[in-house]
Structures are given as structure tokens and as C-alpha cells.
Amino acid sequence: GYFLMYEARLVELIEARERWLKPGGLMFPDRAKLFVSMVQDGDHKRKHYDFFDDVWGFDFSSVKEAAKADPVVQECDETALVTSST
């Protein structure tokens, strides 16, 4: 999964280490860095959230909040960053 976080891969990695790694065993790579930043992506908002305002003529706007709770893992242009990752 992306960054060991998407699809709960970090939890699976830790469980696999605890279950199958012998005492003194090594895992490679043995480190990961996670950089998080907020972005502003109007195109993504229109496609994935505003879409629910009119789905084939029906108002599904109540689904927008649930859609916002879903994590978004994607590449973005540096100009979309609105915070620093440090």
C-alpha cells in the first residue's frame, strides 16, 4: 500500500514482524518516513464531493460527509500544498 498507511499496511507489517521474524532477525528496509501536508485541490473536490449534489438528477449531498472521511492518497503538484510538511 501507499506509504504503509493506505489499506492498513503498517498494521500488517507489524503483525508479520511479530509473527514470523526470528529473534535477532532483520527487516529491510527497516525505516519509513511519513510526510503529511494539507493540499487544496479544487478538481478533486468537484469530482469526488460536489458530484453528490446531483447524481443523475438525485440529491445525494448527505453522502458528502462520509466521502470526506475516506482518506485520499494521491500525487499532487507542489503548487497545491497549503502547509509545510515539517
Side-chain angles (χ1 to χ4, degrees):
Y2 300 100
F3 309 113
L4 299 175
M5 300 300 285
Y6 193 64
E7 299 174 352
R9 296 295 183 216
L10 181 60
V11 172
E12 291 175 357
L13 178 69
I14 292 170
E15 288 175 357
R17 179 194 65 193
E18 299 301 315
R19 185 171 178 183
W20 289 300
L21 189 65
K22 292 182 180 182
L26 301 173
M27 292 180 65
F28 293 98
D30 62 342
R31 297 170 198 222
K33 286 185 179 181
L34 178 65
F35 296 92
V36 177
S37 183
M38 295 182 72
V39 299
Q40 182 173 332
D41 186 348
D43 189 44
H44 179 84
K45 180 183 177 290
R46 279 187 296 282
K47 288 180 183 175
H48 298 280
Y49 306 122
D50 295 346
F51 163 80
F52 292 109
D53 290 334
D54 181 20
V55 181
W56 300 298
F58 295 95
D59 180 3
F60 280 81
S61 59
S62 60
V63 178
K64 286 170 101 170
E65 289 306 312
K68 290 177 184 177
D70 217 17
V72 177
V73 179
Q74 69 180 40
E75 291 182 29
C76 67
D77 189 80
E78 186 176 338
T79 59
L81 297 176
V82 293
T83 62
S84 170
S85 63
T86 58

